[in-house]
Amino acid sequence: MKYAAAKKITGILLVSSLLLSGCQFSPSTATRETAADVSQVETPSLPPGEKLKSAFSDTRIPGMIGIARNDALQLFINEETAEIAIVHSQSGQIWRSNPADREKDGAAAGINKDLLSSQSRLSFFNSSGQSSMVNSYTDSTRHKQVSYEALPSGVRVHYQFGSTERSIEDLPVKISKERFEQNLLAKLDKSGERALKVGYAEDKDEGVYVRIDKAMQGLQLTRALKAFEDAGYTEEDLAKDHAEHGIEHERSGPRLFMLTMEYELDGDQLRVRVPASGIHFPEEYPINTISVLEYFGAGGSKEEGAMLVPDGSGALIHFNNGKLQYPSYQQDIYGPDLTMKVREAGSNESKARLPVFGVIRPEGAFLGIIEEGDAVAVVNADISGKLNSYNNVYPSFYVVNKSDITLQSSDMVRTLPKFQNKPTSSDFVVRYAFVGAEQASYSGLASVYREYLQQTGGLPELKAGNEQTGIPFYLKLFGGMATRQHMLGIPYNSTEALTTFEEGKAILSKLSEKNVSNIQLRYAGWFNDGLHHRLPDSIKVDGVIGGKKGMKEFSAYTSEAGIGFYPDVAVLNVQSKKGFRPSSEASRTLTQEPAILYPMDPALERRAKDLTASYVLSPNEITDVTTGMLKDMKALQVEGISLKDMAEQLNSDMNPKKLLDRTQALETIRQALDQIKQQTGSIVAEGGNAYALPYVAGLTDAPMSSSRFKLEDEEIPFFQLVVHGSVAYTGSPYNLSTYTNARQYVLKLIEYGASPYFAWFNAPNHVVKETDYNNLYAANYEQWIDLASDIYNEVSQVNQPFTGKPMISHETLAEGVFRTMYEGGGYVIVNYNDAPVNVENHTVEALSYVTGGEQL
């Protein structure tokens, strides 16, 4: 027994030591220090606001006043509920922030009923890391804690969530019998005595009165608070009672939050802004997420329509599809922040590349464009029949992230929360664009977004035709790979050639002989020790594949042959520690560890920790790395560059000394992309996140499908509808993809207006066996070159007339039959069925296609 007791004490001392030293926490201050990391000014009071003046009215919207209008839109607001409505003049459609008939919803109850009347919802943490929620109806407008300011073309709404009223935390957990009876009961009348005797129970063995938390609710809590106040009980008394009984009780401030939302008409669009300066919260209760207009345009249980979500190439969720057993849709825009989320599974999930969402009804539609704060945005959607009777899609935004620190000593484990040091610095802005019945389709909304990007510089200028003899043929060649060799039993690292520059010339020559033209070549593994190269802040061409001289000759060869040459570089993921200091140059997680990423095993759908890991480069280092890279590449005389990760992922750095949240990291990436484009002339990149589109000439590994989540009903080429004609694109390399049928691949390229793509090396396939490059098991070019030629020549013949032209529409004509139409009237109809179909006065053979319209 003595040994067990001593072991327990030792364990306590060890944990205390860990708390005091390794993590700079102590048991008594851990929660306070983590909460204090979130630097916030003192919460202000609700602005007084003003009485809004009604400028016009509409009998279809009783209880609302008109406050702004133009030729396209009218904006209304209800001063009692803060709900808004938009009237689209052309179509006569009314779009509401909250369902008009929500009070009749029999499926919603309690908080789910209240949410139907809310315009914003905040989730927040307490100092222990537990999450709670408040919404603008339950915690603000219902208590008349809302005020308004008129804007030139709209209105500003201030919400106060919660109140400064005292709570149970103002009452002692324990109080001695003497102090309870002499300092409290003796000073109260009978009603006051009764209130305290209901709320406290005597513990005769300990000689104290103990608070009964279950009894301290509602009216009883109010009476007890008044009784303590009448007895003259002070904060000093509370501190004394807690100290006397050894209670580590840290008083939290009031759960009082402030939020400002602005609604302004901008031509035929509504701009909704949540300014960062209008978000306030106590240090003890950091806000995790803010949801904006969750039920704007929500569809009822008897309505026809669909929700547009940005999953991969795009997807539709039909209203009332009955898929009640499946989880709601939720995706981070631009994929997960690898400093925050390293998912073990879900490798097949397509990323949301475009910051958009929408609602489509037969009589009209809207597109939501996340204009600011897109880097920390999430798109959410769900169907009716779960929590209520409505189908809704909306954005939310991360403000403060949380992680957990687990401390362990012997058999003792303690988990402490660690919060983001500063909240997200960006405003959150969502632009709602409205269309009538004639554009109420995903094609119509894509044209709205394309036009928006063109007006705001979000796309390259449309190409004025194509002088090439065919569509692009994208090819990725693998140069060299790092391997582990042995000499006299001593291991050493070496770089082994997969494709030398001379071998690359031979492959390109053979392709040209097979009538493959307009080749766009990404050359990977050419410098700093091959595919898993060192940080590219300085560049040395690997001698094993030809060295600097060989690269210059290869560049000259490709230039003369009219081949686009794009040496491939990974900037954001550092795959070798050689010359790299993870402690100072890697992004830090919230637990202050360097962010590390293991490759995904596609077979097991989990991280393969037996493979070489990479570090997430801190966005603080991107500018210096980019500058050094461009300086060294200038001497190589190349006219383009391939970026493996800068258009594909976006990561923050949670190092409190140099914190860059994801919105700040996005600005750094934009500046780097602009610098690269200015100095290299042309960029081909993987992925295709929206912020990269203005800087690229071509995309590989662009989204060619959705994730096919169970809740979704249709996979659509929304991404293609937006970018076709401005940026050339392709999906994954055919020979490294999940396609088992080349015919299906051809039809997809034709339907989606894409180019063929292959990834090869010259060496035999077996050289990558049992290496970190096992995934390249089918990349020897000889087994693919004939098929590649056949695919290219067929697809090029169909897609070439549409090069440089916007994709105007895409629609389903029958099961497995789709029509894609381009500017000028040209179109292609694709039939994926195993039998011929007759559609639109055409007979389309099985697994085939037809073209028509004006194609030239």
Side-chain angles (χ1 to χ4, degrees):
M1 292 295 292
K2 288 181 179 179
Y3 173 76
K7 182 179 179 183
K8 183 175 182 181
I9 292 170
T10 302
I12 293 171
L13 291 173
L14 282 169
V15 170
S16 299
S17 176
L18 283 169
L19 290 166
L20 288 165
S21 59
C23 291
Q24 300 180 351
F25 287 99
S26 69
S28 60
T29 62
T31 54
R32 179 171 65 253
E33 289 186 6
T34 52
D37 282 345
V38 184
S39 55
Q40 276 288 297
V41 296
E42 186 177 346
T43 304
S45 58
L46 183 71
E50 60 189 76
K51 182 71 175 175
L52 298 175
K53 297 178 181 179
S54 178
F56 49 92
S57 62
D58 191 317
T59 56
R60 297 175 298 171
I61 318 175
M64 289 198 179
I65 60 172
I67 53 173
R69 62 180 168 184
N70 56 33
D71 292 340
L73 302 174
Q74 298 177 18
L75 172 61
F76 294 81
I77 193 166
N78 184 318
E79 289 186 277
E80 293 296 317
T81 63
E83 63 187 298
I84 67 160
I86 293 290
V87 175
H88 184 238
S89 301
Q90 180 187 2
S91 65
Q93 283 290 294
I94 300 174
W95 296 95
R96 298 173 178 268
S97 61
N98 306 90
D101 55 354
R102 58 189 180 275
E103 295 301 327
K104 300 176 183 178
D105 184 3
I111 191 64
N112 292 321
K113 187 99 171 197
D114 285 2
L115 285 172
L116 293 174
S117 298
S118 171
Q119 294 84 46
S120 182
R121 176 162 52 132
L122 315 180
S123 69
F124 62 92
F125 299 116
N126 63 18
S127 56
S128 298
Q130 299 165 320
S131 182
S132 300
M133 181 195 75
V134 290
N135 70 78
S136 66
Y137 173 71
T138 308
D139 304 281
S140 183
T141 56
R142 190 161 68 178
H143 301 291
K144 302 188 182 306
Q145 295 175 172
V146 59
S147 64
Y148 303 94
E149 291 179 58
L151 298 174
S153 56
V155 64
R156 179 180 292 124
V157 185
H158 302 285
Y159 296 97
Q160 176 180 299
F161 301 77
S163 69
T164 56
E165 294 178 1
R166 291 184 299 157
S167 69
I168 195 171
E169 290 187 353
D170 292 277
L171 303 179
V173 178
K174 290 182 180 181
I175 183 170
S176 68
K177 175 180 172 65
E178 180 183 0
R179 282 173 56 76
F180 187 79
E181 293 178 349
Q182 294 182 11
N183 291 21
L184 295 175
L185 296 183
K187 297 180 179 180
L188 297 172
D189 57 20
K190 289 188 177 181
S191 63
E193 287 183 27
R194 187 164 53 252
L196 294 194
K197 287 181 178 179
V198 170
Y200 282 83
E202 183 180 2
D203 184 335
K204 293 183 179 180
D205 294 336
E206 203 174 330
V208 297
Y209 279 82
V210 181
R211 192 177 72 198
I212 309 171
D213 287 0
K214 288 185 179 179
M216 290 291 197
Q217 297 181 17
L219 183 59
Q220 182 53 44
L221 174 60
T222 302
R223 289 170 175 169
L225 287 166
K226 185 176 186 304
F228 272 88
E229 183 180 357
D230 291 345
Y233 192 81
T234 65
E235 289 193 16
E236 288 75 16
D237 292 324
L238 181 66
K240 181 178 180 180
D241 286 324
H242 282 152
E244 181 179 340
H245 299 287
I247 296 172
E248 293 179 0
H249 182 78
E250 183 186 341
R251 288 289 312 286
S252 294
R255 293 198 318 191
L256 190 65
F257 305 91
M258 298 290 297
L259 183 75
T260 297
M261 293 182 69
E262 298 172 356
Y263 304 97
E264 289 192 279
L265 300 184
D266 184 6
D268 57 356
Q269 299 169 357
L270 169 70
R271 203 160 183 252
V272 180
R273 176 186 293 273
V274 178
S277 60
I279 302 170
H280 300 277
F281 53 88
E283 289 183 350
E284 299 91 340
Y285 300 107
I287 294 175
N288 178 218
T289 62
I290 295 177
S291 301
V292 174
L293 297 183
E294 290 190 32
Y295 290 93
F296 188 87
S301 58
K302 299 185 186 307
E303 291 186 77
E304 181 184 347
M307 294 170 285
L308 167 69
V309 294
D311 174 20
S313 63
L316 297 180
I317 302 171
H318 294 165
F319 285 1
N320 315 307
N321 64 17
K323 299 180 180 181
L324 305 181
Q325 70 273 37
Y326 299 125
S328 60
Y329 169 86
Q330 185 176 80
Q331 269 193 308
D332 294 348
I333 298 298
Y334 309 139
D337 181 342
L338 298 181
T339 304
M340 299 287 179
K341 302 177 181 179
V342 180
R343 296 180 180 175
E344 284 299 321
S347 62
N348 293 326
E349 179 179 321
S350 297
K351 293 181 180 178
R353 301 290 185 190
L354 304 178
V356 296
F357 60 94
V359 168
I360 302 168
R361 291 190 173 93
E363 61 274 17
F366 79 76
L367 179 70
I369 303 169
I370 303 171
E371 199 168 56
E372 294 181 41
D374 47 323
V376 293
V378 180
V379 171
N380 313 266
D382 212 348
I383 57 169
S384 66
K386 292 183 178 180
L387 304 177
N388 53 57
S389 299
Y390 296 94
N391 308 271
N392 65 316
V393 58
Y394 64 94
S396 56
F397 301 88
Y398 291 109
V399 179
V400 174
N401 289 281
K402 177 188 81 81
S403 188
D404 292 315
I405 300 174
T406 300
L407 304 174
Q408 185 171 358
S409 174
S410 185
D411 57 347
M412 299 186 65
V413 178
R414 183 170 184 181
T415 300
L416 303 173
K418 177 65 179 175
F419 301 109
Q420 185 174 323
N421 189 252
K422 295 178 182 177
T424 299
S425 60
S426 172
D427 293 352
F428 306 134
V429 179
V430 184
R431 182 180 291 271
Y432 294 83
F434 306 93
V435 298
E438 72 285 350
Q439 280 190 284
S441 65
Y442 60 84
S443 298
L445 294 184
S447 68
V448 169
Y449 187 48
R450 183 174 63 247
E451 183 178 344
Y452 166 82
L453 290 177
Q454 289 169 344
Q455 291 175 350
T456 57
L459 281 175
E461 292 185 9
L462 286 172
K463 299 169 184 175
N466 185 23
E467 298 177 0
Q468 298 284 351
T469 56
I471 64 170
F473 176 86
Y474 285 98
L475 175 63
K476 185 176 186 179
L477 288 181
F478 300 104
M481 66 175 182
T483 59
R484 193 75 163 164
Q485 304 289 344
H486 292 80
M487 178 177 288
L488 302 177
I490 300 173
Y492 67 96
N493 292 324
S494 176
T495 303
E496 182 175 346
L498 294 172
T499 312
T500 67
F501 289 127
E502 286 300 319
E503 291 165 346
K505 289 180 188 178
I507 293 172
L508 295 173
S509 177
K510 290 178 183 178
L511 275 173
S512 297
E513 290 171 5
K514 294 179 180 294
N515 298 317
V516 176
S517 60
N518 196 6
I519 299 170
Q520 303 297 306
L521 172 64
R522 298 180 62 203
Y523 206 110
W526 58 277
F527 75 107
N528 290 12
D529 301 334
L531 290 172
H532 288 177
H533 61 73
R534 302 192 310 273
L535 190 70
D537 53 348
S538 64
I539 286 175
K540 180 182 179 182
V541 183
D542 293 331
V544 71
I545 63 169
K548 184 175 181 179
K549 180 181 178 183
M551 185 170 184
K552 286 184 176 180
E553 292 175 353
F554 185 79
S555 180
Y557 166 80
T558 56
S559 180
E560 185 178 342
I563 295 170
F565 176 39
Y566 300 90
D568 189 60
V569 181
V571 176
L572 305 186
N573 294 155
V574 185
Q575 301 165 107
S576 171
K577 289 175 66 175
K578 190 174 180 180
F580 175 72
R581 301 183 302 277
S583 60
S584 60
E585 295 176 309
S587 281
R588 295 289 186 91
T589 66
L590 282 170
T591 57
Q592 297 311 297
E593 299 167 324
I596 193 168
L597 182 68
Y598 288 93
M600 187 72 78
D601 186 324
L604 300 177
E605 289 197 354
R606 68 184 183 194
R607 298 290 171 186
K609 295 194 175 181
D610 57 330
L611 298 180
T612 303
S614 59
Y615 288 90
V616 177
L617 181 70
S618 168
N620 289 286
E621 305 294 325
I622 289 174
T623 300
D624 287 345
V625 171
T626 300
T627 300
M629 175 185 73
L630 292 173
K631 179 182 177 183
D632 284 5
M633 286 196 71
K634 188 175 182 180
L636 298 176
Q637 301 172 9
V638 294
E639 298 177 353
I641 191 170
S642 165
L643 298 175
K644 181 175 175 58
D645 46 27
M646 290 187 77
E648 201 277 331
Q649 61 180 251
L650 180 62
N651 308 308
S652 59
D653 185 354
M654 289 293 112
N655 187 336
K657 295 179 181 178
K658 50 180 183 179
L659 185 146
L660 281 184
D661 65 49
R662 215 177 181 209
T663 64
Q664 295 167 319
L666 173 55
E667 198 53 43
T668 300
I669 291 286
R670 278 199 180 108
Q671 293 171 7
L673 287 169
D674 185 61
Q675 183 183 4
I676 293 169
K677 183 180 180 181
Q678 294 295 329
Q679 295 190 37
T680 64
S682 185
I683 299 173
V684 167
E686 282 189 19
N689 288 344
Y691 55 80
L693 295 178
Y695 307 100
V696 299
L699 290 171
T700 69
D701 303 273
M704 293 288 286
S705 66
S706 70
S707 304
R708 298 174 182 150
F709 294 125
K710 300 284 190 182
L711 193 69
E712 296 172 352
D713 295 292
E714 287 186 60
E715 182 177 270
I716 60 174
F718 188 87
F719 184 92
Q720 286 71 21
L721 283 159
V722 171
V723 306
H724 192 280
S726 298
V727 179
Y729 52 83
T730 184
S732 302
Y734 172 73
N735 59 305
L736 300 180
S737 71
T738 56
Y739 276 100
T740 57
N741 185 324
R743 195 66 196 156
Q744 296 285 338
Y745 180 67
V746 166
L747 295 179
K748 188 75 166 185
L749 296 180
I750 290 173
E751 181 196 356
Y752 276 37
S755 293
Y757 182 30
F758 284 79
W760 296 336
F761 52 65
N762 183 76
N765 283 327
H766 67 79
V767 300
V768 298
K769 187 177 180 181
E770 298 180 357
T771 72
D772 283 358
Y773 315 97
N774 263 327
N775 60 312
L776 305 182
Y777 63 90
N780 175 264
Y781 83 95
E782 291 180 302
Q783 68 192 93
W784 298 107
I785 192 166
D786 289 336
L787 176 63
S789 170
D790 293 342
I791 289 175
Y792 175 77
N793 285 298
E794 180 177 6
V795 175
S796 182
Q797 185 177 3
V798 179
N799 287 355
Q800 169 64 23
F802 308 128
T803 301
K805 295 182 179 181
M807 187 183 290
I808 298 301
S809 68
H810 177 274
E811 58 186 323
T812 304
L813 300 180
E815 183 69 29
V817 183
F818 305 93
R819 177 170 60 190
T820 306
M821 184 169 289
Y822 296 87
E823 185 178 75
Y827 63 85
V828 59
I829 300 174
V830 175
N831 176 21
Y832 286 91
N833 296 295
D834 293 327
V837 294
N838 294 306
V839 290
E840 301 289 318
N841 298 317
H842 289 285
T843 298
V844 190
E845 297 299 326
L847 297 173
S848 189
Y849 50 86
V850 297
T851 59
E854 294 293 331
Q855 297 179 48
L856 298 176

